[in-house]
Amino acid sequence: MIKIGITGGIGSGKSFVARLFAEQGVPCYDCDSAAKKIMLSDAGIQDSLQKLIGIPVVDNGVLDKSAIACFLFASADNAAKINGLVHPLVIDDFNKWCAVQKSPVVAMESAILFENGLEKTVDYVIVVDAPRQVCLDRAVKRDHTSVRKIEERMDSQMDAAEKVSRADFVIYNGSGVSKTDIIGKIDIIIKSILLC
């Protein structure tokens, strides 16, 4: 089984690209959704996060994403602490998920693939890239939040150029790029990987 990591900065369109991979028959594991599921279901993680953040992270079965995000994006040290708690469990869950997949190629989507060392769990890394202003506009519209908050989140992530330099493949998703264009690129990547 060949494992692909899909990453990119906020607003780059990595989730859109991951969905297109799934449409092309490549099962895709969403690290963000898995992390939220683990935080909701694992009492030990909830206790650890409460001690770290200072308030309960789950209230009546609802995850307090705002409190977690505020703490997470406040500093690189805070992000490292949360990721150190949650991501070992995400990796374990990903490996279990892979074990039941029938496809010769699977994918993992993660915004912080490099930051958490998740590139070590995959064979190839694809970075979805777009100009900063395009990413900013998309994220502000999608999240219904301020430009300042999105810029803070962008600045807390690894620089896009650094991600691109470490990628095996890059999918450009700027203005004017169509779904058909991206599907064509995905097809080329899948064929290239399977021929290796």
Side-chain angles (χ1 to χ4, degrees), residues 19-182:
R19 283 193 298 274
L20 293 182
F21 265 91
E23 287 177 14
Q24 301 310 304
V26 176
C28 194
Y29 179 91
D30 180 350
C31 286
D32 188 48
S33 294
K36 288 172 185 168
K37 185 174 79 174
I38 288 166
M39 286 188 273
L40 267 174
S41 63
D42 190 308
I45 286 291
Q46 290 173 20
D47 288 343
S48 297
L49 287 170
Q50 181 172 336
K51 287 174 187 166
L52 189 61
I53 296 172
I55 59 170
V57 295
V58 176
D59 184 31
N60 291 325
V62 178
L63 190 65
D64 189 344
K65 293 184 279 187
S66 176
I68 294 168
C70 283
F71 182 84
L72 182 79
F73 291 113
S75 73
D77 186 52
N78 285 3
K81 286 175 181 174
I82 286 186
N83 293 334
L85 288 172
V86 177
H87 279 272
L89 300 176
V90 171
I91 292 170
D92 184 54
D93 190 58
F94 172 68
N95 289 331
K96 288 175 182 172
W97 176 85
C98 287
V100 298
Q101 301 305 311
K102 306 298 183 198
S103 173
V105 181
V106 298
M108 164 201 283
E109 176 198 347
S110 174
I112 50 176
L113 189 110
F114 291 121
E115 293 89 332
N116 276 335
L118 295 175
E119 78 273 16
K120 296 173 192 146
T121 67
V122 297
D123 302 299
Y124 299 95
V125 174
I126 297 167
V127 169
V128 182
D129 190 40
R132 182 179 172 95
Q133 189 61 50
V134 171
C135 294
L136 181 61
D137 292 344
R138 286 176 181 159
V140 167
K141 184 177 179 183
R142 179 195 68 200
D143 295 349
H144 309 290
T145 190
S146 69
V147 169
R148 184 183 59 78
K149 282 194 176 180
I150 297 300
E151 285 180 328
E152 286 173 358
R153 291 184 180 188
M154 286 178 149
D155 292 341
S156 75
Q157 294 183 335
M158 181 184 286
D159 182 69
E162 172 71 11
K163 288 183 180 183
V164 167
S165 74
R166 295 172 64 176
D168 296 297
F169 302 94
V170 177
I171 294 179
Y172 181 73
N173 187 31
S175 300
V177 177
S178 71
K179 180 178 176 180
T180 303
D181 294 333
I182 295 174

Side-chain angles (χ1 to χ4, degrees), residues 10-21:
I10 186 169
S12 63
K14 67 190 167 301
S15 296
F16 173 67
V17 170
R19 283 193 298 274
L20 293 182
F21 265 91

